[in-house]
Amino acid sequence: MIDKSPETPFLVVDLDAIALNYLTLRRLMPQARIYYAMKANPAPEVLSLLAGLGANFDTASIFEIHQCIAAGIAPERISYGSTLKKEKDIASAYQLGIRLFAFDSLGELEKIAAHAPGAKVYCRILMNNEGAEWPLSRKFGCDVDMAYDLLLHSRKLGLEPWGVSFHVGSQQTDPTQWDKAICTTAKLFSALKQAGIKLQMVNLGGGFPGKYRAETAKIETYINTITNAMHRYFGDDIPEMMLEPGRSLVADAGIIQCEIVLISQKSYTDNKRWVFLDAGIYNGLSETLGECIKYRIRTPHDGTEIAPIILAGPTCDSADILYERANYQLPVNLKVGDKIEILSAGAYSNATSSVGFNGFPPLKAYYI
Amino acid sequence: MIDKSPETPFLVVDLDAIALNYLTLRRLMPQARIYYAMKANPAPEVLSLLAGLGANFDTASIFEIHQCIAAGIAPERISYGSTLKKEKDIASAYQLGIRLFAFDSLGELEKIAAHAPGAKVYCRILMNNEGAEWPLSRKFGCDVDMAYDLLLHSRKLGLEPWGVSFHVGSQQTDPTQWDKAICTTAKLFSALKQAGIKLQMVNLGGGFPGKYRAETAKIETYINTITNAMHRYFGDDIPEMMLEPGRSLVADAGIIQCEIVLISQKSYTDNKRWVFLDAGIYNGLSETLGECIKYRIRTPHDGTEIAPIILAGPTCDSADILYERANYQLPVNLKVGDKIEILSAGAYSNATSSVGFNGFPPLKAYYI
């Protein structure tokens, strides 16, 4: 517990809320194995909470794997979900007991075969990320044709072709995107079955939303869409399912407390106030880059008259503008020193802080 | 010295090169006071080198001021150059002996008056940043009309109206931008003189370039343009000049050593290779955001046949794509494990690293 409010900015994360989110997801989809995408918030407090509740872990690097192992998480509960791994990191992971690896290219498959012999591998297929507020389309995955060949090839390399993964994009606002992806995946399963390979697992990725400014469907709607699609496209032969929630478990559990440093105008004809906070893209709010994630903001004057603003962070860097085109409005009688709350800020916030750009320390975080 | 090359990625900074850049600038413009914009690279090694050579320091936060004081730099050599300061930080700086403060708004001026009575203040005016590869235009500065009123007002508040600052944008490729800014500044000096205020100082900002992919004019060209403009617009009554170089002192002194983690294609019809490095926007290459800064890249196969690539970093985040539209080409026979050098990477690189997003540690740096 925090006795006295520390100096802003800081993040407060409610661990009970994370537990509830995890247990809700498990209840809604008991047949899926949940792998927490720990990059969203890798705090030891979050890891040990979720480990205690039985979660598995999706890791993005050997460093995250080391963190999991250090937290006492057994290697069979860890997936090495990055499709970009150094050979020595694959070897280290294998030595630590990790047996589940993602890939999306021939080069990666060959590295895994060389350094993790016999491991289970799953191929990430490329999805277009329509409807996602933080799209992931271009960088990860390969075409289905190529995935087919690579999964066939994986067996020749002595690996166990285990499944297929996709990711419909982070903060995906359109649940039907899973339907499309599952349809594609089922066809790939079927084609490989005809070629003598029986895949065992569909990794449905992450993408479930946090509560930002725009309304999104409820988690139940997402799960229903997914469950229905699995039945529709896989019939009675439903494979093991992996889910990789990150944002949806931790985002809504966190609030960034910050403060107004300055309110100003650039000219006498300026019709928008500039509001400067002590938190910005380099110390907790990197997801506002490109104005992608539109946080809900609470002020001490909510309910009073509002007017348009431009919101910016504290550094001497012009990239540190949070919202300029997203039509944010805040109360007219905001003043310097007012405490501001950035809601649903538990994901990709302190984890992406800079080491201290402009001298500002990384966003502090308190887990209660 | 580094005996054995450490594991990539890492930054190596040649301190002699920084010293040479500083001494060159001082030789070319002996009449100006040089304030190193330490946000570009705040390493203690860089601070003590430049402090020893007689530099002054432009700081962006109270934290940077503390760093300077801890390095033994006298407060009269420090400018608090941020236009966004908390009241308590102004008070702390004043208590530490800082007497030179930037502002660009009434709100900031009133805070300075309250917590740094009698201090010298300079007003930042808004410039359009045409020609800058990392523009700074929108966030800082106010219109000249407003600057006039605020500088007048500063005296009523018990402050010493000291000067005017502007910034033509970081990595400014067009030296004539200073001519325009100095012209505007001289008119403002003259208008204030008629109102009974004799300003003493022009802060010419930073913006001198590093050597990236596009050719830029030599530093001599920039200095000549500035010197000529000062004479043209101020005549015989040239005020004190401040320069705030950051990038131009440290960028070319640094090289990021990294490694190719994967080379892949997304489909059989893909005509571009994806090349993935172990350094990306979260661990050293944040200035590639929006493909603004286009680094020169050295490979072990330079001089052999090249072909288009997309270059990306190591995290499971799609924002971590370095160059996709900037038409980079690299040798056809690049392979996984090849060592790659990112040249002129001494500025805004390790300083902007994340604390460990996706588990990847902040970019290590070696100062030799």
Side-chain angles (χ1 to χ4, degrees), chain A residues 1-7 10-13 257 365-368:
Chain A
M1 287 295 300
I2 304 169
D3 288 335
K4 186 174 162 289
S5 196
E7 193 188 335
F10 58 89
L11 169 70
V12 182
V13 175
Q257 304 271 2
Y366 301 91
Y367 297 85
I368 58 175

Side-chain angles (χ1 to χ4, degrees), chain A residues 7-9 39-40 42 59-64 67 81-89 104-108 111 124 126 134-143 145-147 149-150 259 261-269 274 276 278 281-282 286-287 289 312-321 324-325 336-337 348 350-362, chain B residues 7-9 39-40 42 59-64 67 81-89 104-108 111 124 126 134-143 145-147 149-150 259 261-269 274 276 278 281-282 286-287 289 312-321 324-325 336-337 348 350-362:
Chain A
E7 193 188 335
T8 62
K39 57 184 168 288
T59 61
S61 68
I62 190 67
F63 305 100
E64 287 194 344
Q67 254 189 282
S82 168
T83 53
L84 313 166
K85 302 176 287 292
K86 288 188 180 179
E87 295 182 76
K88 68 176 195 53
D89 293 342
D104 67 359
S105 67
L106 178 61
E108 192 70 11
K111 287 190 282 176
R124 180 156 168 176
L126 194 59
W134 191 269
L136 298 167
S137 62
R138 298 166 302 172
K139 188 174 171 185
F140 306 104
C142 64
D143 261 9
D145 284 2
M146 190 180 271
D149 291 344
L150 292 175
E259 183 182 302
V261 178
L262 180 67
I263 300 172
S264 69
Q265 280 176 293
K266 298 288 162 192
S267 72
Y268 293 122
T269 56
W274 283 74
F276 297 93
D278 56 3
I281 63 161
Y282 294 104
S286 74
E287 286 218 308
L289 271 170
T315 63
C316 291
D317 188 315
S318 198
D320 191 12
I321 294 176
E324 189 170 13
R325 300 176 305 277
V336 169
Y348 303 106
N350 55 327
T352 66
S353 266
S354 84
V355 289
F357 190 45
N358 276 227
F360 294 104
Chain B
E7 193 187 337
T8 61
K39 59 181 167 288
T59 61
S61 68
I62 190 67
F63 305 99
E64 286 194 346
Q67 252 189 283
S82 168
T83 53
L84 313 166
K85 301 175 287 292
K86 288 188 181 180
E87 295 182 77
K88 67 175 196 51
D89 293 342
D104 66 0
S105 66
L106 179 60
E108 191 70 11
K111 288 191 281 178
R124 180 156 167 175
L126 193 59
W134 192 267
L136 297 167
S137 60
R138 299 166 301 172
K139 188 173 170 186
F140 307 104
C142 64
D143 261 10
D145 283 4
M146 189 181 272
D149 290 344
L150 292 174
E259 184 183 302
V261 178
L262 180 67
I263 301 173
S264 70
Q265 280 176 293
K266 296 291 164 189
S267 73
Y268 293 121
T269 56
W274 283 73
F276 297 94
D278 56 3
I281 64 162
Y282 294 104
S286 75
E287 286 218 308
L289 272 170
T315 62
C316 292
D317 189 314
S318 198
D320 191 13
I321 294 176
E324 190 170 11
R325 301 177 304 278
V336 169
Y348 304 107
N350 55 329
T352 66
S353 265
S354 84
V355 287
F357 189 46
N358 276 227
F360 295 102

Side-chain angles (χ1 to χ4, degrees), chain A residues 19-32 34-35 208 219 222-223 243-246 248-249:
Chain A
L20 184 63
N21 290 337
Y22 173 77
L23 294 171
T24 300
L25 187 58
R26 204 169 68 174
R27 175 174 55 75
L28 291 172
M29 207 161 170
Q31 68 281 36
I34 300 175
Y35 285 73
F208 305 140
I219 186 73
Y222 287 82
I223 300 304
L243 286 175
E244 290 173 344
S248 64
L249 295 189

Side-chain angles (χ1 to χ4, degrees), chain A residues 62 65-66 69 75-76 78 80 85-101 111-121 158-160:
Chain A
I62 190 67
I65 290 173
H66 285 305
I69 300 288
E76 54 270 25
I78 300 171
Y80 199 164
K85 302 176 287 292
K86 288 188 180 179
E87 295 182 76
K88 68 176 195 53
D89 293 342
I90 295 170
S92 300
Y94 188 75
Q95 203 162 17
L96 288 166
I98 311 299
R99 293 292 179 271
L100 185 57
F101 294 83
K111 287 190 282 176
I112 299 170
H115 300 283
K120 292 175 179 170
V121 292
L159 295 164
E160 189 170 353

Side-chain angles (χ1 to χ4, degrees), chain A residues 18 25 32 36 104 125 174 222 247 253 295:
Chain A
I18 296 177
L25 187 58
Y36 171 53
D104 67 359
I125 56 173
D174 175 11
Y222 287 82
R247 184 188 303 281
Y295 291 105

